[in-house]
Amino acid sequence: MAEIVIQGGTVIDGGGVRRADVRVSGALIAEVGPNLSVGKGVTVLDAGGCLVAPGLVDLHTHLREPGREEAETVDSGTRAAALGGYTAVVAMPNTEPAIDNAGIAREVLDLGRGAVAEVAVAGAITVRREGERLAPMAELADLGVHLFTDDGSGVQDGALMRRALDYAKGLGVTLAQHCEDDALAAGGAMHEGAWSSRLGIPGVPAAAEEAMVARDIALVRLTGAPVHFLHLSTAGSVELVRRAKAEGLAVTAEAAPHHFALTDAEVAGYDPIFKVNPPLRTGADVEAVKVGLCDGTIDAIATDHAPHTPETKDVPFDEAPPGMLGLETALSVAFSELVAPTGDGSSGRLSAERVLGLFSWQPATIAALGPTDARGGGHSAQGGPVAPGGAANLLVFDPEASWQVDRAGLASRSHNTPYAGRTLRGRVRHTVLRGEPVVIDAEAQR
Amino acid sequence: MSAEPADAPPAAEPRVGIGRHLLSVADLGREGIAEVLRVAEAFAEVERRAIPKVPTLRGRAVATVFFEESTRTRLSFETAAKRLSADVLSFGVSNSSVKKGESLRDTVETIEAMGIDALIVRHPSSGAPHQVARWAERARVINAGDGWHEHPTQALLDCFTVRQVLAERFGADPEGIGCFDGLRVLLVGDIRHSRVARSEILAYSALGATVTLAAPRTLLPPSLEGWPVRVADDFDTALAEADVVSLLRLQAERGSGEFVPSLREYTTHWGLTTRRVGLLSERAIVTHPGPMVRGVEISGDVADLPLTVATRQVTNGVAVRMAVLFLLLGAGGGLEADAPVEELQAAHG
């Protein structure tokens, strides 16, 4: 059985922080402790100065397959994920056709079987994501689908959403809402505010998101079924979720890196690379999202990795599709924005441990991919802990390495990263999937 | 009739470079606007000649690239270019490969590949000319109106017209920009969807005028943060205080009809009716970028009063656009003469 020793790092998981080596044997963690012996034929992964953590879990990845393979495939998207430190991604169902039935779900799960990151799928709440009648959720749940969403749009009809929640409650699955009131958002291409007014671009008011967050909180109160809020982007949404949690309601929430790293001022040059939905918001919203990440209102950082080909993005701003890449930059962006550099006790907002929790074990729990979950779909346990007997899904991250994002150097089939040319702090060094080093020294191994 | 030969260059040699492209009035700044107005004055003189044509841009080729219907702006630019002896190509979306699915970028690159020196772009999407400027390798780009964003040459010709009228009627300096100091400009109507409004606000305020907006709340932009304007509390009072009233059209094709309960109510509350004209000071000037919708934002008889200078705006459009073309392509912004232009810009901060 192939053996790996991850040597010289600091192990971080939900149980804390300690200096330790990690021995991996086959697909499992065999031993965790200081100064492990290295026998003959054992692969050593250097982790000097690095953090060794459970692999990351992305709750929000658009793999584009089937339907838009020119933008991304399961193969290219999972390679991007592995390079970003992810060992599992949840594929969003807004493919063409949508993942609204067992056949398509099975197809995507099969494509993910041999990939360099595990692929879980989210199912659609409604048929063709049209918001009119329920998708066969029980059939999808039988395949291990745990999250359901019409992502790309929200379920507009409150009565239908209520019915979906009632139904989901019986199945023990979670609905994830893309909160956007279509009527309020109609025609908008960026955040409505000072910048949209100046640039003459039709805006999407924060209220378009907040109205649906508020409605769904009321429906959680009514039905007792859980809701996961996708990509919260406004200060008002964060506050609504904070109060719902204080009330003890079954809500969880995620935020995307661009919603705490970038503001609507980026749109000033009319570059559609910065067009995303929900749109980049104001500095005050960015600050509120950061506070929400710090105080536990927001449970997970999820990429909303949304590849688009250059042809579709190189068009006038209001014609371009929304979305930006995220998998290969997310953890580095989070460290750059949220964690103090070593030796600087003042400027950091979160410890490395808290950030890794937001990226790994907390989303693993939301996606029901954790070690104690009854995982369907043939997935291994995600989110740690880094302990003997656990699945060897691991990430080695150098928090002090800095690197410049090169659009053409990304593994994604598309190049629509908003961080091109930026220098980010912290870089994924190795990624281990079920015992296989799929990324070594920031290079994909297959 | 002037004794001057018709092909003599205009009297104005540029003093200030105005940059590589004209995408926004903000690209010009106060000095740049003053320079355009000054050069336009010289070209207005050319226009009064028997043969209103100069050889300034002989050998240059400009293309009007319009993705939106337009009569006056397109004709005005093409007339301006022809009076400068430039070759003019006309590209309209209705008779182009765009209908066959060609992207804006490919269209622009194709036109530029024909050796075009300037692209005069109108597009329904805000910011499209900015993108065209990024894609163009050597051609100058002039924004002839983009979405709700800007229409720089319209604002420039409005300023030019206002100065001309102030000079004629009240003896203001026809060359300088002193007449704009403290001038009270009132913009009325659909500010939200108006590219003319955004450019006028930048231009008038850069020149020292104070700008007030009067409109139903639904037709104001969602935010006025950072705008050098104030919103009128009362339309009638604002009219009485205005030196210049800029009327904007209700842009029904951009859906602004839904922003007011009815055109009748709009006219009653925000139209320049015969009654409201009586509130204006006798020195007031009324501008309108056209096309005018008589009976909605302006009543028919008011449109024909001498205080309304819409026709003069159209006339002046040619001279102002000649100035812009000259400054971007002629000696001032000569394609081979980037260095001197940059020096000039540096010298003028």
Side-chain angles (χ1 to χ4, degrees):
Chain A
M1 213 180 283
E3 205 172 287
I4 301 170
V5 171
I6 301 170
Q7 210 171 48
T10 300
V11 171
I12 300 185
D13 60 12
V17 182
R18 62 271 187 204
R19 293 295 296 269
D21 296 346
V22 178
R23 186 189 312 282
V24 172
S25 182
L28 299 179
I29 296 167
E31 197 180 356
V32 180
N35 309 315
L36 296 186
S37 65
V38 179
K40 256 199 148 121
V42 170
T43 306
V44 173
L45 295 180
D46 177 30
C50 294
L51 311 176
V52 180
L56 312 184
V57 176
D58 190 26
L59 291 172
H60 202 139
T61 303
H62 296 280
L63 291 174
R64 301 294 187 220
E65 193 172 5
R68 299 244 301 278
E69 290 84 354
E70 69 284 1
E72 196 79 289
T73 62
V74 172
D75 183 64
S76 63
T78 51
R79 191 165 299 111
L83 286 161
Y86 290 88
T87 51
V89 299
V90 178
M92 288 287 115
N94 64 336
T95 46
E96 294 163 18
I99 307 178
D100 63 357
N101 67 75
I104 304 286
R106 214 175 272 125
E107 180 188 336
V108 176
L109 287 169
D110 283 346
L111 285 166
R113 211 74 72 189
V116 292
E118 295 198 338
V119 177
V121 304
I125 296 172
T126 67
V127 173
R128 288 192 291 274
R129 300 171 45 251
E130 288 171 348
E132 285 168 10
R133 57 202 175 89
L134 295 183
M137 292 167 60
E139 238 175 75
L140 287 157
D142 286 345
L143 292 174
V145 174
H146 182 74
L147 292 172
F148 288 83
T149 177
D150 280 0
D151 182 53
S153 34
V155 178
Q156 302 297 311
D157 181 334
L160 182 63
M161 185 64 188
R162 185 261 168 100
R163 208 145 53 235
L165 284 165
D166 282 337
Y167 199 70
K169 194 181 181 195
L171 299 175
V173 298
T174 300
L175 301 194
Q177 187 75 289
H178 166 119
C179 289
E180 181 179 14
D181 179 306
D182 284 354
L184 282 170
M190 69 175 294
H191 172 68
E192 179 181 298
W195 277 106
S196 72
S197 298
R198 208 171 303 171
L199 295 170
I201 294 178
V204 180
E209 176 174 314
E210 292 155 4
M212 194 172 283
V213 172
R215 182 202 72 180
D216 284 0
I217 287 170
L219 292 177
V220 171
R221 194 181 292 119
L222 176 69
T223 61
V227 165
H228 175 67
F229 290 109
L230 301 170
H231 43 49
L232 289 190
S233 69
T234 80
S237 298
V238 174
E239 181 57 23
L240 286 164
V241 172
R242 182 177 290 122
R243 286 194 217 153
K245 286 190 160 188
E247 197 187 325
L249 297 176
V251 297
T252 54
E254 67 182 39
H258 46 266
H259 287 133
F260 60 81
L262 305 172
T263 68
D264 58 346
E266 301 284 351
V267 181
Y270 295 98
D271 186 345
I273 287 289
F274 296 104
K275 182 173 174 182
V276 65
N277 189 18
L280 301 179
R281 305 283 189 184
T282 67
D285 295 305
V286 163
E287 178 58 23
V289 169
K290 285 183 177 177
V291 171
L293 288 164
C294 292
D295 71 10
T297 301
I298 300 168
D299 305 90
I301 294 171
T303 63
D304 197 2
H305 179 83
H308 289 291
T309 59
E311 305 84 79
T312 57
K313 275 290 196 184
D314 247 358
V315 297
F317 195 87
D318 57 5
E319 295 172 19
M324 38 181 67
L325 299 184
L327 287 169
E328 292 175 71
T329 48
L331 188 57
S332 301
V333 168
F335 266 73
S336 303
E337 294 293 326
L338 303 169
V339 183
T342 302
D344 176 353
S346 61
S347 65
R349 310 287 292 263
L350 283 173
S351 65
E353 184 183 358
R354 291 282 312 281
V355 170
L356 288 163
L358 288 160
F359 271 98
S360 177
W361 45 98
Q362 289 164 210
T365 303
I366 292 167
L369 293 170
T372 58
D373 291 304
R375 297 176 305 279
H379 300 108
S380 61
Q382 297 286 342
V386 183
N393 294 318
L394 297 163
L395 148 80
V396 177
F397 184 74
D398 182 346
E400 301 308 325
S402 70
W403 61 293
Q404 197 179 35
V405 180
D406 170 17
R407 187 165 282 170
L410 298 174
S412 174
R413 278 207 163 179
S414 296
H415 305 297
N416 54 313
T417 174
Y419 308 108
R422 290 195 193 215
T423 299
L424 301 178
R425 194 163 52 76
R427 185 159 208 193
V428 173
R429 198 160 163 203
H430 318 302
T431 307
V432 176
L433 176 71
R434 294 187 304 264
E436 177 193 351
V438 289
V439 173
I440 298 177
D441 285 323
E443 296 281 342
Q445 300 301 295
R446 64 177 171 97
Chain B
M1 198 172 108
S2 167
E4 242 178 306
D7 62 350
E13 278 304 310
R15 291 173 193 155
V16 186
I18 65 165
R20 187 178 164 79
H21 306 294
L22 179 57
L23 305 176
S24 160
V25 167
D27 295 346
L28 296 172
R30 182 182 168 86
E31 296 298 316
I33 297 168
E35 181 66 358
V36 172
L37 299 187
R38 194 180 69 79
V39 174
E41 191 60 49
F43 282 124
E45 183 274 319
V46 168
E47 277 197 274
R48 289 190 284 271
R49 295 177 188 174
I51 304 169
K53 191 157 179 163
V54 288
T56 316
L57 295 185
R58 195 149 54 197
R60 300 283 193 215
V62 307
T64 51
V65 188
F66 276 45
F67 293 86
E68 204 178 62
E69 295 305 319
S70 153
T71 327
R72 66 189 68 212
T73 304
R74 180 183 201 123
L75 275 175
S76 179
F77 266 113
E78 291 179 357
T79 306
K82 285 175 179 162
R83 290 196 176 160
L84 291 167
S85 305
D87 296 319
V88 181
L89 285 87
S90 186
F91 179 95
V93 70
S94 55
N95 53 6
S96 74
S97 46
V98 171
K99 285 232 162 130
K100 300 171 192 158
E102 188 176 63
S103 73
L104 174 62
R105 181 169 189 159
D106 285 339
T107 301
V108 164
E109 284 172 359
T110 302
I111 296 171
E112 199 186 19
M114 295 172 192
I116 301 295
D117 299 300
L119 300 168
I120 299 161
V121 180
R122 166 165 290 192
H123 200 284
S125 299
S126 294
H130 287 70
Q131 290 172 298
V132 171
R134 275 202 290 273
W135 298 329
E137 286 186 7
R138 52 180 286 283
R140 310 313 206 199
V141 178
I142 298 170
N143 182 357
D146 62 328
W148 306 348
H149 177 231
E150 279 211 46
H151 191 354
T153 56
Q154 178 70 45
L156 293 167
L157 74 88
D158 294 345
C159 292
F160 184 83
T161 303
V162 164
R163 179 174 74 178
Q164 191 181 60
V165 172
L166 291 175
E168 282 174 19
R169 296 188 188 164
F170 312 111
D173 172 11
E175 301 269 314
I177 54 172
C179 61
F180 293 101
D181 241 347
L183 193 73
R184 292 164 300 181
V185 179
L186 177 67
L187 270 62
V188 183
D190 187 358
I191 317 286
R192 183 189 183 98
H193 301 108
S194 173
R195 51 195 176 212
V196 173
R198 286 178 176 77
S199 286
E200 280 190 347
I201 289 165
L202 289 170
Y204 281 124
S205 60
L207 291 171
T210 63
V211 180
T212 304
L213 309 181
R217 277 285 161 176
T218 48
L219 291 177
L220 288 175
S223 165
L224 289 170
E225 190 186 322
W227 292 44
V229 298
R230 123 188 137 70
V231 176
D233 298 321
D234 177 75
F235 183 33
D236 286 359
T237 314
L239 280 172
E241 289 168 353
D243 298 312
V244 174
V245 178
S246 170
L247 290 182
L248 301 164
R249 188 169 57 89
L250 256 193
Q251 307 213 10
E253 80 277 16
R254 293 182 211 286
S256 55
E258 299 161 18
F259 288 74
V260 291
S262 71
L263 289 183
R264 195 178 63 91
E265 177 159 316
Y266 181 80
T267 306
T268 315
H269 285 79
W270 305 96
L272 191 59
T273 56
T274 313
R275 176 187 73 80
R276 288 210 176 87
V277 166
L279 302 170
L280 291 171
S281 102
E282 56 196 26
R283 296 167 66 101
I285 302 168
V286 176
T287 65
H288 194 299
M292 228 185 251
V293 188
R294 289 169 188 252
V296 179
E297 70 267 12
I298 188 164
S299 67
D301 49 347
V302 176
D304 296 327
L305 292 176
L307 85 172
T308 308
V309 296
T311 311
R312 203 193 267 249
Q313 289 171 270
V314 175
T315 307
N316 288 334
V318 175
V320 168
R321 290 178 174 117
M322 286 171 81
V324 167
L325 285 166
F326 170 71
L327 289 167
L328 288 177
L329 293 178
L335 292 171
E336 298 82 25
D338 276 332
V341 173
E342 277 156 21
E343 279 164 30
L344 275 166
Q345 282 172 329
H348 290 265

